[in-house]
Amino acid sequence: MKGIVDRIEDSIVVIETDEKMYNVDIERTDGTLKEGDVVELIIQDDYIVEVRKNVEETQSREEYINDLIKDMWE
């Protein structure tokens, strides 16, 4: 399942998906996540076992947002 990091609070990563918000212990990540990152949630038996950053989609999303912001000021 795909999601976006909404925020990081202490040791919890809050991830938004199309369906709902997930609170994931930061230990289930590689420790490099930041707000706005696109992630893949690995779920087994309704339990999040791992969160993987999707570097390509994160970069593409950042470029898209930067283009939107740039267009607003032109």
Side-chain angles (χ1 to χ4, degrees):
M1 174 181 296
K2 196 176 297 185
I4 296 176
V5 175
D6 182 65
R7 63 188 177 278
I8 299 173
E9 299 177 345
D10 299 319
S11 63
I12 301 296
V13 179
V14 180
I15 299 172
E16 179 179 1
T17 69
D18 288 338
E19 298 172 9
K20 66 180 192 172
M21 302 287 273
Y22 291 93
N23 294 330
V24 180
D25 192 308
I26 202 162
E27 292 180 6
R28 301 237 179 257
T29 73
D30 64 4
T32 65
L33 297 179
K34 64 184 187 319
E35 292 178 6
D37 284 349
V38 178
V39 295
E40 292 289 333
L41 302 174
I42 310 304
I43 301 173
Q44 293 177 352
D45 299 324
D46 295 326
Y47 182 74
I48 297 172
V49 294
E50 187 178 356
V51 178
R52 297 181 187 156
K53 181 176 179 177
N54 186 318
V55 177
E56 290 177 5
E57 285 194 43
T58 296
Q59 188 173 22
S60 176
R61 183 173 186 273
E62 287 175 358
E63 290 171 2
Y64 173 74
I65 290 170
N66 286 336
D67 286 345
L68 287 177
I69 293 170
K70 181 180 171 185
D71 289 344
M72 284 177 45
W73 297 109
E74 291 181 351

